[in-house]
Amino acid sequence: MGDAARSEVPLAVLQDRPSSTATSPAAPLPAPAAARSDTEQQQEKVAQNTASAAGTAPMGECNTEYRGLPGANGEDTAASAPAALRKVSIVPLVFLIFYEVSGGPFGIEDSVGAAGPLLAIVGFLVLPVVWSIPEALITAELGTMFPENGGYVVWVASALGPYWGFQQGWMKWLSGVIDNALYPVLFLDYLKSAVPALGGGAPRAGAVLGLTAVLTLLNYRGLTVVGWVAICLGVFSVLPFFVMGLISLPKLRPARWLAVDLHDVDWNLYLNTLFWNLNYWDSISTLSGEVDRPGKTLPKALFYAVIFVVVGYLYPLLAGTGAVPLDRGQWSDGYFSDLAKLLGGAWLMWWVQAAAALSNMGMFVAEMSSDSYQLLGMAERGMLPAFFARRSRHGTPLVGILFSASGVLLLSSMSFQEIVAAENFLYCFGMLLEFIAFVLLRVRRPDAPRPYRIPLGTAGCVAMLVPPTALIVVVLALSTLKVALVSLGAVAIGFVLQPALRFVEKKGWLRFAVNSDLPDIGVGHAPAPAAPDEPLAP
């Protein structure tokens, strides 16, 4: 939604608006349609249309759908959307999710170096069940319940209020920017064996700056462009591993997969590597407002992406550990290119390195899209200054893109392990808020429209969240003191930043505005027929 379509409403109006489901005792009930004349009905329609155009229509009245968000209930939007704001369809969305979460097996090598082949393989089989599937299910339900940019920020704000919604936005945005700083690091780690000058110093710094500038420009050109670029990059990135797996077949020794030494396991590195490679399923929720028919498209895209990601990890992991004698000291980020050379020769090594470079480009643009649209969504909810909601002529959030790119440049000097540990710590806090919000919305708003609903009752959903919550506790407990202190300091900044922004708004130093096209997330929906439980699988 561009600026021209936005009606400014002070933030206080949104927060203080009374529940639309409560009927004032003094307000007369409307007469049935059949008992009113055609003239009266026509006058009422005109008044409603006028109020809606002025941005004063009560958001919660008969609020069984997301008003002002085309596609919220599955209708076709392709014909009505402006060319610059075309909605993202299912195939690009699958690859955007793939790049938000994975991007291929690049970066999983540390799991073998930390724990050996058996634990690495078991980890990539078990953790998707414990973590990825529950997170994807929650994203499918809440992402279709609130189909707007802002995603998990809106979920938490609806359940816990705007203060905690802002904290969620701050932690998840900072976590996403830290995560995005990984991709230039991984990109250069894969290329430094062929170009040693990229290992450090001015050449490496210049490469990071140039890569960030090019990919930021790609984000500026539009999300649809990013989606189709993600498809091309994704196909190219997985092909060399498919070939490497075929070449490794005659050399496979299944006994190598069983190698394990429980006395020599770096549990911190092992769990952080697994967790980093299998999380961020909720990141796509911040793009829900840009998705074509999100009620149907988002759950299906998540289903396909889960399969794509898990297979994309296990296939090369089985090939690499089964075809080559184990040397755990060699298994660190970038080692797949060395394996490719051992198995297929220099040509396959160059292909894997090129695939790694393009994969990191895909992950970068997907993550930056999620981060920048999150800021736009927060601005449309009045949580950030209004200039964050401005779109470029390509429909993209220009200010959010620039802020996210600046954060990446500031953090890109950190090492791979430091970045993973820091973003995991912040991400865990954000996920705890999401779990709480999900359960509270199930309890407080059971009748709210949910185009996709997890086929479990509230008790079943709570039971589903027990294992991932336990995993969060373990990841936090294994963090180093340095990572914990830095991360907690970042969280504390958010506690101060939100009241500071409210003070700035009160003084009028910056303009804040709420997009009146968005429904009030602070009120309950009117009772509506229960949406049919649609399985996550198509």
Side-chain angles (χ1 to χ4, degrees), residues 108 121 134 136 151 230 244-245 525:
I108 71 171
I121 293 168
M244 188 171 73
H525 288 293

Side-chain angles (χ1 to χ4, degrees), residues 144-181:
T144 56
M145 183 180 176
F146 299 97
E148 62 175 275
N149 301 325
Y152 38 69
V153 177
V154 181
W155 310 345
V156 174
S158 178
L160 298 173
Y163 178 83
W164 288 107
F166 181 89
Q167 303 310 318
Q168 173 76 348
W170 166 250
M171 286 186 288
K172 295 301 284 286
W173 179 80
L174 190 58
S175 173
V177 171
I178 294 173
D179 179 67
N180 221 13

Side-chain angles (χ1 to χ4, degrees), residues 355-367:
L358 294 180
S359 175
N360 282 282
M361 291 172 63
M363 288 187 284
F364 187 102
V365 296
E367 181 63 52

Side-chain angles (χ1 to χ4, degrees), residues 353-375:
Q353 288 181 340
L358 294 180
S359 175
N360 282 282
M361 291 172 63
M363 288 187 284
F364 187 102
V365 296
E367 181 63 52
M368 180 172 283
S369 294
S370 175
D371 296 341
S372 57
Y373 276 97
Q374 177 197 320
L375 297 180

Side-chain angles (χ1 to χ4, degrees), residues 101-102 106-107 110 175-190 204 208 211-212 272-273 276-277 279-280 333 356 360-361 363-364 367 407-409 411-424:
V101 176
S102 167
F106 314 103
D110 280 303
S175 173
V177 171
I178 294 173
D179 179 67
N180 221 13
L182 276 173
Y183 305 131
V185 172
L186 284 173
F187 172 78
L188 296 176
D189 283 346
Y190 268 90
R204 185 181 181 93
V208 169
L211 180 64
T212 302
N272 270 309
T273 302
W276 175 67
N277 280 284
N279 60 17
Y280 276 86
D333 56 292
N360 282 282
M361 291 172 63
M363 288 187 284
F364 187 102
E367 181 63 52
V408 169
L409 291 175
L411 296 167
S412 58
S413 61
M414 297 171 63
S415 70
F416 176 85
Q417 288 80 9
E418 288 175 331
I419 293 175
V420 169
E423 69 94 4
N424 279 349

Side-chain angles (χ1 to χ4, degrees), residues 424-426 428-429 432 471-480 484:
N424 279 349
F425 198 97
L426 290 170
C428 285
F429 276 110
L432 288 175
L471 177 62
I472 287 176
V473 173
V474 172
V475 171
L476 292 176
L478 290 176
S479 298
T480 64

Side-chain angles (χ1 to χ4, degrees), residues 63-64 145-146 441 445-451 453 524-531:
N63 195 9
T64 58
M145 183 180 176
F146 299 97
L441 289 170
R445 301 172 65 178
D447 298 325
R450 289 169 169 85
R453 185 184 183 95
H525 288 293

Side-chain angles (χ1 to χ4, degrees), residues 240-254 256-257 314-325 331 336 339-345 347-348:
F241 292 98
F242 177 74
V243 173
M244 188 171 73
L246 294 179
I247 294 174
S248 70
L249 286 176
K251 303 177 182 180
L252 286 180
R253 302 293 183 269
R256 293 172 177 162
W257 297 333
L314 287 173
Y315 182 83
L317 187 60
L318 292 171
T321 56
V324 176
W331 280 85
F336 270 125
L339 281 177
K341 185 176 182 179
L342 291 173
L343 292 172
W347 66 273
L348 188 56

